[in-house]
Amino acid sequence: KQHKFWETQPVGQFKDLDNPNLPEGPIEPPTPLSEVKAEPYNLPAPYEWVTCDMDLDSTCTEVYNLLTNNYVEDDENMFRFNYSKEFLQWALRPPGYYKAWHIGVRVKSTKKLVAFITGVPARLRVRDQVVKMAEINFLCVHKKLRSKRLAPVMIKEVTRRVHLENIWQAAYTAGVVLPTPITTCRYWHRSLNPKKLIDVGFSRLGARMTMSRTIRLYKLPETTVTPGFRKMELRDVPAVTRLLRGYLGQFAVAPDFDEDDVEHWLLPIENVVDSYLVESPETHEVTDFCSFYTLPSSILNNQNYSMLKAAYSYYNVTTKTPLLQLMNDALIVAKQTDYDVFNALDVMQNEEFLKELKFGPGDGQLHYYLYNYRIRNALNPSELGLVLL
Ligand SMILES: COc1cccc(CC(=N)NC(=O)c2cccnc2OC2CCNCC2)c1
């Protein structure tokens, strides 16, 4: 009964796990475009498909409001992701994006937006194969329409529209176990504003800890310590691309970023994405890079606060500066710009700094998935070089 839908899809199936003979790579071959279903899948009668034009402020506001009230909550339903409009426009319009992959479901009679799912194109390398994929995200069904089995038809519709662009693989994450994770990550949090985090129930006062001792424990310097540490600028795109491509090559799964991708995904946008680099004061060479994205969470019921300002570790590269020192500078700039918490997954080399920089383990896991692409053995999170938004 479980996974009724996913057992019908070209994804690694749990029953295949002990079959070492299945080759790594696509599970199903591409379909001739003439054979891809030309019409959208059928929705239940009261609903209709709509393509959400994120360039239209009114549509962007509808998407923002749907997600603000109905998107992912933590396990204890105390917080809900609150992606900003500017973030959504950034996340959904990378180089080569397709408007048709920004899919909404409206109530025919009222035109109310009640569900959403998106894809954006990405070139991902899986071991030695660079594969054109869709990164699927923001699957959201209004709370009042849950268990109407809308999610499977929305997944089939975005898959159909991705197929129409001759793309046959996808990548996505979920907090739940589906067939079959390529890796399972743990997330970690570094308190920047411990008083607020304890007040809103995100953190608990440690045993034998006072509030003032806790505030002292997480205190950070007022200024960064690495000489040449500065914000990334447009002129840095070629150097950052070289740095990032060289670094990501070590991971089994990672984006195959070119300069256009780096310009879109890593050039700082206030309150959306922040990127810093180390330019050697002697040689002016760009030797290190760190970045984080901004994803606030609504605090679902607290008298004093309504929003948690959270930074999420994105891509970080070191070739000269110790990773601990670079990431501590990232914590310092996040604290300076009023973030309450800095989150990170145990992917790439993040384990090197998590404990040392006073991150605490979160209580959940994030599973990564590939669609229509088998990898022989699940990866360790440290073999994953991909961060999805
Ligand atoms: C603190 O507010 C929350 C609001 C909703 C959910 C969660 C817990 C959670 N599920 N966190 C993560 O999935 C997570 C934790 C650390 C880093 N990235 C993450 O998720 C990213 C990547 C996947 N898409 C959502 C954002 C926390």
Side-chain angles (χ1 to χ4, degrees):
K1 165 77 190 64
Q2 256 210 344
H3 308 307
K4 238 166 60 56
F5 168 70
W6 284 108
E7 281 160 7
T8 69
Q9 297 298 298
V11 292
Q13 298 297 332
F14 292 130
K15 63 179 171 24
D16 299 340
L17 277 180
D18 45 26
N19 183 343
N21 308 325
L22 292 168
E24 181 145 309
I27 293 168
E28 284 179 351
T31 316
L33 291 194
S34 56
E35 291 175 28
V36 176
K37 190 172 182 314
E39 294 307 311
Y41 281 90
N42 290 332
L43 281 167
Y47 309 111
E48 62 185 3
W49 296 113
V50 63
T51 296
C52 294
D53 182 346
M54 298 306 286
D55 300 341
L56 270 181
D57 186 60
S58 54
T59 310
C60 196
T61 301
E62 284 185 281
V63 170
Y64 169 78
N65 288 330
L66 174 72
L67 295 176
T68 296
N69 295 311
N70 300 281
Y71 199 46
V72 178
E73 296 173 8
D74 69 305
D75 289 349
E76 292 168 56
N77 307 103
M78 295 172 68
F79 308 100
R80 187 182 305 126
F81 287 139
N82 187 243
Y83 288 89
S84 71
K85 286 168 61 175
E86 293 74 19
F87 189 108
L88 293 167
Q89 293 190 312
W90 168 69
L92 297 178
R93 299 186 301 182
Y97 79 97
Y98 304 94
K99 281 189 188 231
W101 294 9
H102 304 157
I103 305 169
V105 173
R106 291 189 185 285
V107 179
K108 278 178 187 156
S109 54
T110 62
K111 299 302 175 200
K112 182 177 175 356
L113 187 69
V114 291
F116 189 59
I117 189 168
T118 68
V120 292
R123 251 184 350 279
L124 295 191
R125 179 182 50 74
V126 185
R127 293 200 223 280
D128 62 345
Q129 297 294 309
V130 175
V131 183
K132 275 221 72 172
M133 295 205 191
E135 285 175 358
I136 305 302
N137 206 343
F138 304 112
L139 168 58
C140 179
V141 173
H142 195 287
K143 281 173 179 275
K144 292 194 176 126
L145 301 184
R146 299 285 165 86
S147 60
K148 283 182 176 294
R149 305 297 293 169
L150 275 179
V153 69
M154 294 176 70
I155 294 166
K156 285 193 285 194
E157 181 60 14
V158 73
T159 304
R160 186 187 70 86
R161 297 190 190 193
V162 169
H163 287 166
L164 288 173
E165 300 299 341
N166 198 24
I167 291 173
W168 306 94
Q169 272 73 36
Y172 50 103
T173 60
V176 291
V177 178
L178 305 168
T180 302
I182 60 165
T183 195
T184 293
C185 307
R186 299 206 61 90
Y187 35 85
W188 294 68
H189 316 288
R190 206 286 186 185
S191 297
L192 300 174
N193 183 350
K195 189 173 178 316
K196 175 175 175 181
L197 294 180
I198 289 167
D199 187 327
V200 304
F202 183 86
S203 314
R204 281 183 297 282
L205 202 53
R208 296 187 302 283
M209 289 283 282
T210 62
M211 183 59 81
S212 58
R213 165 109 177 68
T214 302
I215 290 168
R216 234 179 5 261
L217 172 68
Y218 291 113
K219 193 146 182 55
L220 288 162
E222 300 288 312
T223 58
T224 55
V225 306
T226 306
F229 186 88
R230 64 170 172 82
K231 258 192 181 300
M232 178 185 177
E233 298 167 19
L234 184 57
R235 63 191 169 94
D236 301 310
V237 165
V240 169
T241 305
R242 277 192 298 278
L243 201 62
L244 203 46
R245 289 185 65 84
Y247 180 76
L248 291 174
Q250 68 187 290
F251 303 110
V253 174
D256 181 56
F257 282 139
D258 64 18
E259 289 187 6
D260 293 338
D261 301 316
V262 168
E263 180 176 339
H264 177 80
W265 290 121
L266 294 166
L267 213 48
I269 299 172
E270 192 178 4
N271 279 328
V272 170
V273 58
D274 269 287
S275 301
Y276 295 86
L277 52 79
V278 179
E279 176 183 339
S280 159
E282 295 78 38
T283 68
H284 295 291
E285 186 199 1
V286 174
T287 55
D288 313 279
F289 175 83
C290 63
S291 59
F292 53 85
Y293 63 82
T294 298
L295 169 51
S297 278
S298 305
I299 301 171
L300 298 181
N301 82 8
N302 180 276
Q303 276 99 344
N304 313 324
Y305 300 99
S306 63
M307 207 62 81
L308 190 67
K309 189 174 178 184
Y312 286 72
S313 180
Y314 201 26
Y315 292 99
N316 309 301
V317 184
T318 56
T319 67
K320 288 276 183 319
T321 306
L323 184 61
L324 281 180
Q325 180 182 317
L326 185 75
M327 292 312 295
N328 203 57
D329 277 345
L331 293 176
I332 291 166
V333 289
K335 173 65 181 172
Q336 278 169 347
T337 41
D338 259 353
Y339 287 84
D340 299 316
V341 62
F342 192 102
N343 297 315
L345 296 166
D346 57 356
V347 297
M348 294 181 270
Q349 296 173 319
N350 291 355
E351 270 197 311
E352 258 179 61
F353 63 78
L354 291 170
K355 291 193 177 82
E356 192 83 26
L357 293 185
K358 299 175 186 160
F359 283 72
D363 53 11
Q365 297 180 312
L366 190 67
H367 308 276
Y368 276 73
Y369 301 94
L370 292 180
Y371 184 92
N372 193 22
Y373 202 92
R374 190 192 317 281
I375 60 161
R376 208 190 313 284
N377 306 309
L379 307 176
N380 288 319
S382 59
E383 297 175 279
L384 184 68
L386 176 65
V387 176
L388 296 183
L389 302 172

